[in-house]
Amino acid sequence: MITQRLKPQTYAITILTHGRHRHFQRTANAELFIYTLTSYRDAGKFLLHGFVVMPDHIHTLMTPSESIAKAIQLIKGGYSHAVRQQSPGEIWHTGYHEHRIRDLQDFEAQKQYIANNPIRKGHTNYPHVHTANSVLLDPPSHLMEQLCS
């Protein structure tokens, strides 16, 4: 039996901390989260097109290699496991918000939203905001193919 590969989908994801606790205000927590996120990216679990870590939530723009649910499970579970020694208790709000990227214009709008999030929230000089402006990648190939269709 031949299995058909599903067409890749790109998503803008927002994940809140439990009770909107400012968990990522602590530099070590923000850096450990970024390490966890980029480790899964480097392992090929998803393409990471951009992200920002805010004090009480994160935004990512990603194309998962499997499902978005699996990518979120890895991110939330992997980080929770890694930080358990330093920060016992609940880390994440139940669930997450996903927005499936429809086209290249939507991709660019979401990328800008992520890049501008610290400014909108009044964190222009906040030392623990980690933006991925320097690593925002080109759009995924499945969005670029829409231009040629």
Side-chain angles (χ1 to χ4, degrees), residues 127-139:
H128 307 303
V129 170
H130 301 270
T131 60
N133 291 338
S134 61
V135 296
L136 287 174
L137 303 176
D138 292 332

Side-chain angles (χ1 to χ4, degrees), residues 104-119:
L104 192 54
Q105 183 178 359
D106 191 16
F107 178 86
E108 292 300 328
Q110 293 298 321
K111 189 168 74 168
Q112 276 302 26
Y113 180 87
I114 289 170
N116 292 331
N117 196 245
I119 296 164

Side-chain angles (χ1 to χ4, degrees), residues 4-11 13 37 39-49 61-75 140 142:
Q4 185 177 14
R5 185 177 174 155
L6 296 175
K7 182 178 177 184
Q9 297 290 319
T10 301
Y11 297 88
I13 304 296
L37 185 68
S39 293
Y40 285 120
R41 176 205 59 199
D42 295 348
K45 301 300 182 184
F46 46 79
L47 298 176
L48 184 61
H49 310 291
L61 187 57
M62 67 170 58
T63 304
S65 60
E66 294 182 40
S67 70
I68 191 60
K70 179 65 174 175
I72 299 301
Q73 178 186 18
L74 289 171
I75 293 167
H142 69 273

Side-chain angles (χ1 to χ4, degrees), residues 9-84:
Q9 297 290 319
T10 301
Y11 297 88
I13 304 296
T14 301
I15 306 173
L16 304 175
T17 59
H18 182 72
R20 297 293 297 237
H21 175 70
R22 296 172 66 86
H23 178 79
F24 296 113
Q25 183 170 342
R26 185 169 180 251
T27 302
N29 291 347
E31 290 175 352
L32 181 58
F33 177 79
I34 292 168
Y35 175 80
T36 302
L37 185 68
T38 57
S39 293
Y40 285 120
R41 176 205 59 199
D42 295 348
K45 301 300 182 184
F46 46 79
L47 298 176
L48 184 61
H49 310 291
F51 68 93
V52 63
V53 179
M54 299 294 287
D56 62 356
H57 68 281
I58 60 107
H59 294 287
T60 66
L61 187 57
M62 67 170 58
T63 304
S65 60
E66 294 182 40
S67 70
I68 191 60
K70 179 65 174 175
I72 299 301
Q73 178 186 18
L74 289 171
I75 293 167
K76 289 172 78 172
Y79 176 75
S80 295
H81 179 74
V83 78
R84 190 169 320 276

